[in-house]
Amino acid sequence: MKTIEILRIDSLNRSPLIAEGYLFEGSDPTAPSVAIVGAMEGETILPLYTASKLVDFLRHSLDDESKIVGNILVIPSVNHYALNINQRFWPLDKTDINTMFPGYGEGETTQRIAKKLFDALQGYTHGIILETREGISTCIPYIKLFESGYEDLKSAKKFGYRLIHHKSLRPTDTVSLQYNWQLWGTKAYSIICPSDTNIDLNTSNEVFDGIINFLSKNKIIQYKVLSGYESTIVKNRDIEIIKTSKSGIFIPTKKIGTTIKKDEMIGKVIHALEGKVTHRIFSPCDGLIACAYKNGLIFENAVAFRVIKSG
Amino acid sequence: MQITEIFSSQLPVGEKLTIKKGRFEPKERKPDTKRISIVSGTHGDELEGQYVIYLLSSWLRENTDTISGIVDLYPAVNALGIDTITRGFPIYEVDLNRAFPGSNHDYLPGQLVHALAEDVKGSDIAIDIHSSNIFLKEIPQIRINKEFSPSTLPLAKKLNCDFIWIHDAVTVLEATFSHTMNEMGTKTLVVEMGVGMTLTQVYGKQLLSGILNLMKSEGIISTDEEFEQREPFSSEVGDVFYINSPSAGLFVQSITHCAIIKKGDVIGTIVDPLSGKIHDTLYAPSGGILFTLREFPVVYEGSLIARIFGESHENN
Ligand SMILES: [Zn+2]
């Protein structure tokens, strides 16, 4: 293994931001290769933890170096500056690096960061981006693939997560890493991690095991894995969006990852000053709770749950 | 004048979020009565538009007899952000000007922008007033998407601004207010002027004249009063030069105004307070009009320092 400097950004008073990649060179130069990008934003503890755990796994858990067959690059964090002050975006101008691709070397700071990162990510067969959901929600781990015309749904199943969200492309998605990486010839996948702010070992293992499944099934590493799920491909029309008609204190009564029946109560909203229940949330269909609102206070008409319909 | 709520939402704890509109209208409405909508405060840290709308509202109150069209004022689109010094929509951290067209089924920021777009729909003209951000100061200028320039450029020239910047279509900008409204048939202009978290009164008054001038020529006000209409520079006939900081440090301005400059003029220096050294001196790469200048001193490599619009023949 060797570490390579992906980018360096100086600061007026903080020590320089040096994002490093851990490059594991495979024993077979003709084997497929993969690059994995961890935390591009702050407040993304699972992407960071999963990527750093992967570095440790590749260094210490494979008994023989030759079991790394294809090249693997892991970049656990691109945005130490945001992580260290628990902010989501670039600390000075609050821009999101994941909206700056393919990047521009002569542009603004985060465009330059994106450019340097993007340059380092070229030429890989597969690309894995560890992300968390935008907005105020958390979810079970799943793969997000844009309908870009370049996506590879079959390969995405090799992670073995329960769901693959095959998502229509919005204008703002055209500046994301996944879209641009695909445009430039890498099969890119986003793993959407739960937005936990601390580490839950069960969830983090699920995210991690998916990556090991993928590496193993693509023969990038030799490692015996237990199969994951036969992933269900979810289109926007398969998702039931459940909202709260009232604002107030939000209490989910069912957890994400739970399968539910039609008319089952899954959450409630409490009047913030008087404590009475103002709204009960019932599932309109059978299905699986994939996403839930994560704050204690909820707005009117906010999405409380996203349920993947079954039946 | 009539004030209505175009959007409201009960917040979790004992408060209602409302987005308000003020309307001036003529005593008699004809089938060809024109309607203009003036929008500001989409970004919570931009306040210049609030001042312009105050000036306009106050002028219309004093001159009700002149009103021959409908004037709708939306001073504070991101009301929650403005009152809390938050550029995006609080909590969601969403840039409202990347959330259009939104929908009723969308999350709160998407519902809000949808309500705005639906309310402005049907206007003949819309003006979306921005004031840059807290980092950069802009001279009064109009930003126009090339795609819509045949219909919007003639209006832009009436707005008494110093510069018109016609830019190429960019996919990501399709989620803006101006793109959405232009698509819906409202001729929409984006004004950028001043700097975030500040009121630049002289710019506010300059744009007021421009808006009144445009309204007069469109028959929305009928008055003998003459309004200033300065001749703007237009990016059709030249190039925009960007000056980004080559290093991190403290940016110290050598010029204090957005003004006409010569090639090689010093724009400022990037200094290191601790060592007392100058990291870099920044020179103008072209003569022309310096229409953007950095106000906020802390910079990283890449931070935008200035933009110059230069004549093409000065390019070398
Ligand atoms: Zn703005």
Side-chain angles (χ1 to χ4, degrees):
Chain A
M1 185 217 70
K2 62 181 182 194
T3 56
I4 48 177
E5 186 176 305
I6 306 292
L7 60 93
R8 178 198 166 105
I9 294 287
D10 288 319
S11 181
L12 175 60
N13 294 302
R14 297 177 76 170
S15 58
L17 162 59
I18 300 169
E20 288 183 318
Y22 297 83
L23 180 63
F24 298 86
E25 279 165 319
S27 52
D28 177 2
T30 64
S33 56
V34 64
I36 296 151
V37 180
M40 261 189 282
E41 298 168 355
E43 298 179 348
T44 51
I45 192 69
L46 274 177
L48 180 68
Y49 176 61
T50 308
S52 64
K53 199 171 142 184
L54 185 63
V55 171
D56 183 63
F57 173 87
L58 293 171
R59 276 172 100 168
H60 301 120
S61 300
L62 294 172
D63 45 28
D64 175 354
E65 253 185 36
S66 68
K67 290 192 168 172
I68 298 179
V69 184
N71 284 350
I72 305 172
L73 173 69
V74 188
I75 305 170
S77 163
V78 179
N79 200 345
H80 314 349
Y81 276 174
L83 286 160
N84 284 329
I85 58 168
N86 199 33
Q87 272 197 9
R88 179 132 196 172
F89 299 123
W90 182 248
L92 189 67
D93 61 11
K94 319 295 181 215
T95 51
D96 180 355
I97 295 169
N98 202 12
T99 62
M100 293 294 159
F101 290 95
Y104 178 47
E106 308 291 305
E108 270 285 346
T109 311
T110 44
Q111 291 176 308
R112 292 181 188 212
I113 292 173
K115 166 82 169 110
K116 287 174 182 166
L117 176 62
F118 201 54
D119 284 349
L121 296 176
Q122 293 311 307
Y124 286 88
T125 322
H126 300 283
I128 300 173
I129 309 150
L130 290 154
E131 303 180 27
T132 54
R133 282 188 63 88
E134 53 189 61
I136 314 167
S137 63
T138 188
C139 57
I140 59 171
Y142 68 90
I143 299 290
K144 176 180 82 181
L145 266 191
F146 294 129
E147 290 174 359
S148 63
Y150 301 93
E151 72 276 28
D152 183 347
L153 276 168
K154 213 174 131 200
S155 290
K157 289 192 163 192
K158 292 182 180 168
F159 289 95
Y161 295 125
R162 288 172 93 163
L163 306 173
I164 296 168
H165 185 193
H166 195 206
K167 195 171 190 276
S168 49
L169 196 71
R170 298 170 301 177
T172 43
D173 296 326
T174 58
V175 286
S176 67
L177 175 55
Q178 184 195 132
Y179 179 77
N180 284 280
W181 215 355
Q182 285 183 349
L183 218 60
W184 288 68
T186 293
K187 292 178 178 186
Y189 321 86
S190 296
I191 300 176
I192 307 299
C193 301
S195 321
D196 298 0
T197 48
N198 48 19
I199 302 294
D200 173 272
L201 286 177
N202 287 333
T203 346
S204 63
N205 283 342
E206 197 183 334
V207 177
F208 181 78
D209 291 347
I211 296 176
I212 300 299
N213 280 342
F214 183 86
L215 298 182
S216 166
K217 288 184 179 165
N218 280 302
K219 302 197 166 48
I220 296 169
I221 59 171
Q222 285 177 3
Y223 186 78
K224 194 170 177 320
V225 290
L226 305 174
S227 278
Y229 291 92
E230 167 102 36
S231 308
T232 303
I233 293 170
V234 175
K235 298 275 198 181
N236 285 359
R237 61 174 178 269
D238 303 317
I239 306 172
E240 190 68 45
I241 291 174
I242 302 167
K243 302 188 172 188
T244 56
S245 58
K246 294 275 193 290
S247 59
I249 297 171
F250 172 60
I251 303 176
T253 53
K254 293 284 179 198
K255 287 194 168 137
I256 52 170
T258 313
T259 46
I260 45 163
K261 289 280 170 210
K262 185 172 187 288
D263 297 331
E264 201 173 340
M265 189 170 104
I266 54 179
K268 56 188 173 182
V269 178
I270 307 287
H271 191 288
L273 303 174
E274 295 169 9
K276 63 177 185 271
V277 177
T278 52
H279 180 58
R280 288 187 171 80
I281 305 165
F282 299 95
S283 179
C285 59
D286 292 358
L288 168 78
I289 302 181
C291 280
Y293 190 81
K294 69 172 183 183
N295 281 4
L297 292 177
I298 197 162
F299 294 120
E300 252 180 358
N301 294 318
V303 175
F305 296 98
R306 284 183 168 81
V307 170
I308 311 304
K309 290 183 260 189
S310 60
Chain B
M1 184 218 206
Q2 195 190 328
I3 294 174
T4 51
E5 290 178 3
I6 63 152
F7 179 78
S8 83
S9 182
Q10 185 65 41
L11 296 180
V13 189
E15 179 189 353
K16 199 162 99 176
L17 167 66
T18 55
I19 310 302
K20 293 187 189 126
K21 163 171 90 166
R23 167 169 284 191
F24 289 90
E25 53 191 337
K27 288 190 188 77
E28 265 177 61
R29 244 198 249 185
K30 299 188 194 108
D32 63 344
T33 297
K34 281 197 174 172
R35 177 181 165 210
I36 187 169
S37 291
I38 320 279
V39 172
S40 86
T42 310
H43 294 130
D45 59 351
E46 301 178 18
L47 308 175
E48 307 272 15
Q50 303 246 316
Y51 181 62
V52 175
I53 290 181
Y54 158 72
L55 292 174
L56 179 59
S57 177
S58 145
W59 190 94
L60 291 167
R61 283 170 80 100
E62 304 274 306
N63 296 276
T64 43
D65 297 348
T66 67
I67 298 171
S68 43
I70 301 166
V71 186
D72 282 337
L73 306 175
Y74 308 81
V77 174
N78 185 5
L80 202 55
I82 291 171
D83 287 25
T84 55
I85 332 182
T86 314
R87 182 173 177 81
F89 190 92
I91 303 181
Y92 285 103
E93 297 183 76
V94 164
D95 181 340
L96 289 181
N97 210 22
R98 297 289 181 278
F100 285 89
S103 83
N104 279 334
H105 316 291
D106 215 335
Y107 59 175
L108 189 51
Q111 292 166 37
L112 193 160
V113 298
H114 178 69
L116 176 69
E118 285 298 307
D119 206 79
V120 174
K121 193 162 97 182
S123 303
D124 298 280
I125 301 169
I127 300 175
D128 184 17
I129 307 172
H130 287 258
S131 38
S132 185
N133 51 39
I134 60 166
F135 303 108
L136 303 169
K137 184 172 200 166
E138 304 278 0
I139 60 168
Q141 58 197 268
I142 318 288
R143 303 262 172 95
I144 286 181
N145 183 334
K146 202 179 246 165
E147 193 184 337
F148 303 112
S149 63
S151 64
T152 53
L153 185 60
L155 303 179
K157 288 182 174 163
K158 302 213 161 99
L159 271 177
N160 195 34
C161 285
D162 296 286
F163 181 49
I164 297 175
W165 189 356
I166 302 165
H167 59 80
D168 290 325
V170 188
T171 310
V172 66
L173 295 181
E174 288 172 13
T176 58
F177 172 77
S178 63
H179 192 277
T180 303
M181 296 321 301
N182 274 311
E183 289 267 280
M184 283 158 63
T186 295
K187 294 172 188 169
T188 305
L189 302 163
V190 176
V191 177
E192 282 284 0
M193 62 173 217
V195 62
M197 295 194 192
T198 303
L199 302 184
T200 312
Q201 293 190 34
V202 46
Y203 287 173
K205 288 168 185 155
Q206 181 182 336
L207 184 60
L208 173 70
S209 298
I211 293 174
L212 291 171
N213 184 53
L214 174 68
M215 283 169 40
K216 182 178 168 183
S217 79
E218 291 291 318
I220 296 167
I221 51 172
S222 312
T223 171
D224 294 331
E225 200 176 329
E226 293 289 329
F227 304 105
E228 193 188 351
Q229 180 186 329
R230 58 181 79 180
E231 188 64 40
F233 291 88
S234 163
S235 70
E236 288 168 304
V237 289
D239 286 321
V240 173
F241 297 81
Y242 291 71
I243 299 109
N244 295 72
S245 180
S247 54
L250 207 59
F251 170 63
V252 182
Q253 295 175 343
S254 298
I255 36 180
T256 50
H257 291 288
C258 296
I260 304 288
I261 56 166
K262 295 194 300 292
K263 183 176 177 176
D265 280 356
V266 177
I267 295 167
T269 50
I270 310 294
V271 305
D272 177 34
L274 201 56
S275 66
K277 286 183 185 156
I278 294 175
H279 284 320
D280 288 287
T281 303
L282 301 166
Y283 302 94
S286 161
I289 180 161
L290 186 112
F291 65 93
T292 305
L293 181 62
R294 189 168 189 91
E295 275 288 311
F296 188 79
V298 176
V299 295
Y300 287 84
E301 178 196 331
S303 294
L304 188 62
I305 299 295
R307 280 186 285 232
I308 296 169
F309 168 68
E311 303 287 336
S312 290
H313 59 80
E314 290 189 26
N315 274 3
N316 42 40

